Amino acid sequence: LIASTTLTSFASAALAADVPSPNQYYWPKGMNLAKLRAHDSESDPYGSDYYTSYHKKFEQLNLQEVRKDIEKVMLTSQPWWPADYGNYGPFFIRMAWHNAGTYRAIDGRGGEEGAQQRFAQLNDWPDNASLDKAKRLLWPVKKKYGEKLSWGDLIVLTGDVALNQMGFKTLGFVGGRPDDWQSELIYWGPGTTFFPNKSSFQVGQNGTLKHPLAATHMGLIYVNPEGPNGDPDPVKSAAMIRLAFGRMAMNDEETVALIAGGHTFGKAHGAHPNSCLSGPPVANGVEHQGLGWADHCIKGKQTADDASTSGLEGSWSADPIHFTTQYIDNLLNNDWVLGTSPTGAHQWHTKTDDKIAPDPANPNDPSKMRPIMMFTTDIALKTDPAYHKILARWAEHPNEFADAFARAWFKLVVRDMGPKSRYFGSEVPKETFVWQDPVNMPAKPINQADVRELRKLIAATGLSDRELIKTAWAAASSHRVTDHRGGANGGRLALMPQNGWAVNDPEELKTILPKLEQVRDKFNAHSARKVALADIIVLGGSVGIEDAARKAGVKIQVPFAPGRGDATQDQTDVNAFNLLEPTADAFRNYYRADADNTPPLNALVDKADTLGLTIPEMTVLLGGLRTLDINTGHSANGVLTKNPGVLSTDFFTNVLTMDTRWQKVAGQEDLYEGFDRATGQKLWTATDVDLVFGANPELRAVAEVYASDDSKAKFYNDFVKAWTKVMNLDRFDLQR
Ligand code: HEM
């Protein structure tokens, strides 16, 4: 009765809206494969190769011309959203920062690429209030350049133009971010309420934030300016800043540089209370044309003094449209007292409240000057000993501050683009940073004749197919399309920390890698062209799979594209790489029951998502790999074949047959045994991520394709294609 009551109330809400409801609406805990459907390019209006070819269009741009157009927009105040001080620069910086600040180092999601800030839910988050207007201001520029300039690049370039126009020299501008065309399904937090609702706070009692989240509140990009859950305590606030910015891959110095650099500019807006504002864009009628936060309290002609956004009010500096050290000087040299903004939000003012800052609507009128202010989060930088030390040094050495801000800003806006080979345009800085995960490419790469020789050398190592295949998978599957980090390129499987990850069976790896390194050394000793270990690892996978198919009587060729390089240990930031360690890899039937780990079936979808796989690709790969017997720890779970090591469709036929009865193993969370229905003989063991291919109707539908008698050729074909896709995920040169 309880269940049906719940269902009825859900259902009536769905029917009232008169739209089809996803199954998750009725069964919120059901498996959701929607993320993987986004890897098909059908919704992309520029066509299927837009994602990999966008940069070619971008490179046709004259960036100087685009910069001029943006600057003109920036300095032309519009009556429908008048510019503070006649300059939208600070507003634009906030837009670029908020588009970047969603980046999460733990899973690589969020960030500038894709320009998700255009779509619900990010566009509608309370923290992004008013930024809908910033993007509308830029529409004429976007319209002019169309396909050549993605929103992602435009937003970052606009931030750069704004910083330059206000007197700050950045390291340069990098383009090459193709846009998304739909709202990405990202887990932003457990709650259903947004900031400022108190239950939107996601940090636990002991200061922990569940992986992979980075924002402390649902609906905020990072932290609450008023202090944790509205508590104006700078000490507690510093802890939140360190947590949230740390999850964004920023250390203390980068964090202080970003906040001090950002709040050098502009102001907070709290002219009217929240009750004056309509809902976010998604909640408004079509007559609002996708804009939100309409202010009913503005009477007569709107001026810059009318703007309401965060409910906090005032500037940090007396010269908010120029790059100065005033933020640091003002913060350190004044005694700050807790008070409230006109709308009642916690903010801090100086004891003397000197009116030294210009009025946004009348910047040249001395009679309208205003006092400066700070947020609790700004005061936190002064209160926290480590942050304070950094600020005090920069107060003495402003050039060091400018340098640190330039570096931190650059990292902020390109962090989610992956390696330098994905950077485009005439303004890419020369300098290389370790966070770009650099790779050394051989001066003279190998050719196809060399590949033939290398295949023979690999076959002669005596390594088994299983060893070769699992090593190639371990290397390549570390890639994540979310921020383009990891992958086989760089040969980092042989370096710390990757060579010690439990999922990679480090003890076994220690016996495999030296043999592949010997192949490299042997070849390089006699050849003018040099091969990287990374190439040998991937080629080994091809050799192993071809042999495993041959054992099934099938002749296949696994395409191999040479052209990888190796990295050194010095070029590898161990902490940053540790974030790539899989806590689950269903393709190797590996699952670690960490407190923060998502349930196995969600982890399967998540892993497939970070590999950019579609549902058929995920299915054919997992089923094929099971027969290749490459599970972590050489576990037999899900190896539903009498011939392990032979590439076949056995996994699919055996998971779908009615001849097997499955039963949960008592006392085990995620383990099942399969018995022959006729004889009662125990046949197999399997986990959730195996049996789901028979249990979930959508996955079963795909598994049926590969189990069908007429699908053998299709299976081998699709398996090789999906395998090759994973091997080449980080081969941006091939995708172009
Ligand atoms: C404005 C919060 C870090 C750049 C604001 C506003 C809030 C805020 C509440 C006022 C929005 C409004 O009412 O219009 C915070 C917090 C931070 C932080 C809590 C971290 C602890 C940063 C960073 C940057 C930045 C890292 C850039 C590097 C700006 C700029 C403005 C601004 C330029 C002025 C926007 C304008 O004039 O329209 N910030 N911010 N902020 N923030 Fe931040």
Side-chain angles (χ1 to χ4, degrees), residues 486-602:
N489 201 5
R492 285 191 165 92
L493 182 63
L495 303 177
M496 286 185 308
Q498 215 162 319
N499 59 4
W501 290 349
V503 67
N504 291 340
D505 288 332
E507 287 310 314
E508 193 181 7
L509 201 58
K510 261 191 223 158
T511 64
I512 299 171
L513 284 176
K515 294 191 179 154
L516 295 178
E517 281 163 351
Q518 277 166 19
V519 171
R520 174 194 61 192
D521 297 343
K522 200 166 173 184
F523 178 87
N524 285 347
H526 74 75
S527 166
R529 292 173 301 279
K530 303 294 173 198
V531 67
L533 178 66
D535 261 349
I536 293 176
I537 289 174
V538 175
L539 182 60
S542 299
V543 171
I545 290 174
E546 287 166 11
D547 194 51
R550 189 190 51 75
K551 288 178 188 155
V554 179
K555 193 170 166 13
I556 57 170
Q557 217 180 356
V558 181
F560 170 75
R564 294 171 184 81
D566 288 336
T568 64
Q569 191 67 57
D570 282 354
Q571 291 169 318
T572 307
D573 179 336
V574 171
N575 290 332
F577 261 93
N578 259 333
L579 297 173
L580 303 187
E581 181 180 3
T583 49
D585 179 1
F587 298 92
R588 287 180 272 181
N589 226 334
Y590 176 77
Y591 183 79
R592 203 163 76 198
D594 283 3
D596 264 351
N597 213 355
T598 156
L601 295 184
N602 295 358

Side-chain angles (χ1 to χ4, degrees), residues 47-91:
S48 58
D49 68 341
Y50 165 74
Y51 191 79
T52 47
S53 66
Y54 158 69
H55 68 280
K56 288 185 194 144
K57 304 267 176 188
F58 167 80
E59 288 198 304
Q60 294 166 14
L61 283 177
N62 175 344
L63 282 180
Q64 286 314 311
E65 186 192 333
V66 188
R67 280 180 176 279
K68 277 195 201 122
D69 290 337
I70 293 173
E71 194 169 305
K72 194 162 163 225
V73 168
M74 206 173 105
L75 301 175
T76 311
S77 184
Q78 300 294 340
W80 48 269
W81 190 257
D84 301 331
Y85 328 107
N87 190 333
Y88 291 114
F91 187 38

Side-chain angles (χ1 to χ4, degrees), residues 380-452:
L381 301 187
K382 184 173 179 178
T383 318
D384 180 86
Y387 288 155
H388 184 277
K389 206 169 152 197
I390 297 166
L391 283 176
R393 172 158 53 87
W394 288 342
E396 294 295 313
H397 305 284
N399 288 345
E400 286 184 24
F401 165 49
D403 185 57
F405 180 43
R407 285 163 186 275
W409 178 265
F410 183 70
K411 178 172 171 184
L412 176 77
V413 294
V414 304
R415 184 74 180 98
D416 64 327
M417 289 183 76
K420 255 178 130 174
S421 57
R422 292 192 77 249
Y423 298 2
F424 292 95
S426 49
E427 301 181 8
V428 177
K430 297 252 171 322
E431 201 174 340
T432 297
F433 302 96
V434 73
W435 53 260
Q436 292 163 333
D437 306 337
V439 171
N440 309 310
M441 301 309 290
K444 280 193 184 168
I446 53 172
N447 58 28
Q448 285 302 333
D450 299 328
V451 171
R452 281 192 288 278

Side-chain angles (χ1 to χ4, degrees), residues 90-91 97 222-223 258 262-263 266-269 309-310 316 375 377:
F91 187 38
W97 140 238
Y222 33 95
V223 298
L258 284 172
H263 288 176
K267 70 180 284 285
H269 301 84
T309 296
S310 60
W316 299 264
F375 301 156
T377 43

Side-chain angles (χ1 to χ4, degrees), residues 84-85 87-95 97-98 127 129-131 166 222-226 237 241 245 254-255 257-270 307-314 316 320 375 377-378 381 405 409 412:
D84 301 331
Y85 328 107
N87 190 333
Y88 291 114
F91 187 38
F92 285 163
I93 292 172
R94 178 171 159 252
M95 169 188 62
W97 140 238
H98 279 207
D127 218 4
S130 307
L131 293 177
M166 294 190 289
Y222 33 95
V223 298
N224 184 348
E226 293 182 70
S237 177
I241 295 174
F245 278 73
E254 289 162 336
T255 303
L258 284 172
I259 300 171
H263 288 176
T264 296
F265 304 106
K267 70 180 284 285
H269 301 84
S308 301
T309 296
S310 60
L312 295 126
E313 178 58 48
W316 299 264
F375 301 156
T377 43
D378 299 308
L381 301 187
F405 180 43
W409 178 265
L412 176 77

